Amino acid sequence: MPGRYWHALADGRVQCDLCPRFCKLHEGQRGLCFVRARRDDRMVLTTYGRSSGFCVDPIEKKPLNHFLPGTAVLSFGTAGCNLACRFCQNWDISKSRAIDTLADAASPAVIARTAADLSCRSVAFTYNDPVIFHEYAIDVADACRERGIKSVAVTAGYVCSEPRSEFYRHMDAANVDLKAFTERFYQRVCSGHLSPVLETLVYLKRETSIWFEITTLIIPGENDSEAEIDALTQWIMEELGPDVPLHFTAFHPDWKMMDKPPTAPETLTRARRIGLQNGLRYVYCGNVHDDVGGSTWCHACGACLIARDWYHLLSWALDAKGRCHRCGTPCPGVFEPQPGDWGAYRRPVRIAPTAPA
């Protein structure tokens, strides 16, 4: 598939302009993401129509707590990534260099039809970053929109301004990984930079109507200091406002960061407390069992609006317009009159390559 966002350099190389890595390629070379390559003096996407697998998940697993709660989402990814996070928990997909990883093939129309057949309210581009399969993600989103199915980007937000604008015109929701709040962390642990991610978050807030939430994976000894969490949550409050949900999630040792211990639940509780003290209204604890930190609370009267046990919804106290039953205060988000009832189920799905479009 021909790729967009590139230009030829005077020295004969081709520069990719999709993300801030700006990979400069000779004929036959691939970018760091592995899936964008130079062929016949142009940029191509090598994974169009190929997936590392499909699965029906609860939308809360993305995580999105204020976007169609309780509903099912058809999740899929491709291969590769434009960051190199040492702690990656999907490294077998994001760092794959084997085409065999891409076991399933499906056109955008087939994915949209499959989501509809499975009663999924949305499709999520996840497991690896949809930024790198820009053209495929957009085509899938458009096919889904024709069927009334929403599109969700689970992303690190590491993208240049022009492709970012095009990409998000086709999305309905996003969860953005804000991996830390220091340039040192991004350079040393992720081989990237912090500022493009912050620019993406500000762009989503100020220039789109997309519903988005933020996730920060808390890694012991790396990004868990009170000072850093205080700075991160103050920035969100000042630049994005109090209503953007923030998920602090627990790390477990993986890939090139096996020397770190799992995140203690009390660390997430402390991070959540700091965020709330700085004025954020919806701060969550994830990847741990925490009834309080996993539930949604009315910021005005303190009532429990959505009680959760992991990905199960236990109670619902929002009216048909998304307002608190007790005091009538609106809860920001995308809600329907009744929540979904998918629960915590995970259902792998195989899509036949020969399925008609």
Side-chain angles (χ1 to χ4, degrees):
M1 169 62 65
R4 299 195 283 278
Y5 303 108
W6 60 274
H7 71 279
L9 298 173
D11 63 6
R13 293 179 297 173
V14 163
Q15 176 175 305
C16 179
D17 298 318
L18 186 68
C19 92
R21 307 204 74 87
F22 300 118
C23 294
K24 300 171 179 62
L25 308 178
H26 293 288
E27 183 64 28
Q29 287 186 318
R30 295 171 181 257
L32 179 133
C33 68
F34 185 67
V35 301
R36 305 188 79 81
R38 176 177 174 176
R39 291 183 183 171
D40 300 325
D41 295 325
R42 65 177 183 173
M43 193 68 65
V44 298
L45 172 62
T46 63
T47 54
Y48 190 99
R50 303 288 302 280
S51 170
S52 54
F54 294 85
C55 186
V56 181
D57 292 315
I59 191 68
E60 287 80 7
K61 196 173 182 180
K62 298 305 98 186
L64 288 171
N65 281 356
H66 293 233
F67 184 79
L68 303 176
T71 62
V73 54
L74 179 62
S75 302
F76 80 96
T78 58
C81 190
N82 60 337
L83 289 176
C85 302
R86 297 176 61 83
F87 53 86
C88 183
Q89 298 176 0
N90 288 321
W91 64 269
D92 54 331
I93 295 172
S94 67
K95 294 303 154 196
S96 174
R97 295 297 182 267
I99 199 67
D100 289 344
T101 298
L102 302 175
D104 291 336
S107 71
V110 167
I111 293 173
R113 188 190 65 198
T114 301
D117 289 346
L118 294 171
S119 299
C120 293
R121 293 286 287 108
S122 58
V123 167
F125 312 110
T126 182
Y127 307 139
N128 70 320
D129 203 306
V131 162
I132 66 171
F133 56 97
H134 177 96
E135 297 82 2
Y136 187 30
I138 286 175
D139 288 351
V140 171
D142 288 347
C144 287
R145 189 163 286 178
E146 290 178 1
R147 289 178 173 264
I149 295 167
K150 307 293 186 182
S151 293
V152 175
V154 181
T155 175
Y158 205 64
V159 61
C160 292
S161 59
E162 187 177 353
R164 177 174 58 211
S165 297
E166 183 191 19
F167 182 81
Y168 283 109
R169 284 198 297 271
H170 303 263
M171 299 298 131
D172 299 289
N175 185 287
V176 180
D177 283 333
L178 179 53
K179 297 176 185 292
F181 204 64
T182 65
E183 175 67 7
R184 178 178 180 272
F185 181 100
Y186 266 88
Q187 287 188 0
R188 184 175 61 84
V189 180
C190 304
S191 298
H193 299 283
L194 172 61
S195 59
V197 183
L198 301 183
E199 290 166 8
T200 292
L201 290 168
V202 170
Y203 167 80
L204 289 174
K205 180 63 179 180
R206 298 181 183 177
E207 300 186 43
T208 78
S209 59
I210 290 169
W211 179 256
F212 71 100
E213 303 183 19
I214 299 170
T215 296
T216 299
L217 184 75
I218 299 295
I219 305 174
E222 294 288 347
N223 63 351
D224 62 341
S225 72
E226 290 196 9
E228 182 167 344
I229 293 168
D230 181 64
L232 182 151
T233 54
Q234 284 197 44
W235 182 88
I236 293 174
M237 181 66 186
E238 293 168 2
E239 298 294 333
L240 309 179
D243 290 333
V244 176
L246 171 62
H247 302 257
F248 288 117
T249 58
F251 162 86
H252 65 260
D254 218 328
W255 202 39
K256 294 183 178 180
M257 205 170 269
M258 299 295 294
D259 57 327
K260 298 290 183 180
T263 310
E266 52 267 28
T267 301
L268 300 185
T269 300
R270 172 173 54 86
R272 179 173 182 268
R273 183 179 67 250
I274 293 170
L276 293 172
Q277 289 173 345
N278 281 336
L280 301 183
R281 292 170 173 169
Y282 307 99
V283 187
Y284 296 98
C285 298
N287 293 346
V288 295
H289 192 250
D290 184 339
D291 293 344
V292 173
S295 297
T296 301
W297 304 85
C298 178
H299 73 270
C301 73
C304 184
L305 302 177
I306 309 172
R308 299 182 181 87
D309 181 13
W310 291 103
Y311 304 123
H312 283 286
L313 303 191
L314 302 179
S315 67
W316 180 265
L318 293 171
D319 68 15
K321 295 184 178 180
R323 299 173 301 194
C324 174
H325 271 174
R326 180 192 288 176
C327 70
T329 299
C331 181
V334 178
F335 302 108
E336 295 179 330
Q338 296 295 325
D341 59 1
W342 177 254
Y345 307 112
R346 183 179 188 274
R347 178 183 172 186
V349 175
R350 291 304 304 267
I351 296 180
T354 55

